[in-house]
Amino acid sequence: MTNQQVHVAIAILYQKDKFLMQLRDNIPNIPYPGQWALFGGHIEVGETPDIALKREILEEIGYNLPPRFAHFGCYADERAMRHVFYAPLEVEFNQLVLNEGWDMALLTPSDILQGSCYSAIALEVRPLGIIPQRIMLDFMKMGNG
């Protein structure tokens, strides 16, 4: 763990047997450019991971997390400490407003297993980020998908 490591809070949002994921902007200097990842973001000074997650999800897709969302685990590497939570997506997909990212979609377990999904906005199949895919595979192994 270095001083360069950032802390982020990210959400596994599920609806029936699908998972909401964000197609990241295709900007070279961000993590997972042009790849599918999970919604969430940086934990600000003085914020707890759960408070940061509520703020980020509201900012990114206009969704208020339900009161009972749960901590799934932490995934760390040299770049980031990822605090991962999970919650049901309790609104229809078309009620979400994408305020950050290139696209969003409800991915199936088979999309996640194969590591890619088609984007109607990018008009092509785009890969899942390596760590977001690992998180999702771990989540599904726990009987969640």
Side-chain angles (χ1 to χ4, degrees):
M1 315 272 182
T2 69
N3 292 339
Q4 303 303 317
Q5 188 186 47
V6 298
H7 284 255
V8 297
I10 54 180
I12 298 168
L13 297 172
Y14 57 88
Q15 190 170 74
K16 297 182 180 126
D17 59 346
K18 295 183 178 178
F19 303 95
L20 184 69
M21 296 192 77
Q22 173 197 51
L23 183 58
R24 305 271 298 162
D25 288 313
N26 208 9
I27 301 169
N29 62 339
I30 65 169
Y32 314 113
Q35 297 177 40
W36 293 101
L38 296 164
F39 283 100
H42 287 85
I43 299 170
E44 304 293 341
V45 175
E47 275 185 327
T48 58
D50 60 324
I51 296 297
L53 185 68
K54 286 181 185 178
R55 176 184 52 75
E56 285 286 345
I57 297 302
L58 188 58
E59 287 173 5
E60 292 183 359
I61 57 174
Y63 180 57
N64 281 302
L65 285 173
R68 293 186 318 272
F69 64 96
H71 189 256
F72 178 63
C74 290
Y75 288 75
D77 63 16
E78 63 282 345
R79 277 201 334 227
M81 169 63 78
R82 296 163 191 84
H83 302 267
V84 183
F85 295 85
Y86 63 98
L89 184 60
E90 296 178 337
V91 299
E92 294 301 317
F93 179 79
N94 63 8
Q95 293 179 264
L96 301 173
V97 178
L98 183 64
N99 295 314
E100 186 174 307
W102 193 6
D103 195 2
M104 65 178 168
L106 287 166
L107 277 65
T108 65
S110 62
D111 294 330
I112 292 162
L113 283 168
Q114 73 184 15
S116 63
C117 183
Y118 181 78
S119 164
I121 291 179
L123 300 176
E124 62 184 0
V125 173
R126 304 297 303 192
L128 269 70
I130 290 171
I131 293 174
Q133 183 188 28
R134 182 181 323 140
I135 292 168
M136 292 306 305
L137 291 172
D138 289 350
F139 187 73
M140 292 186 319
K141 271 188 227 158
M142 303 291 291
N144 300 301

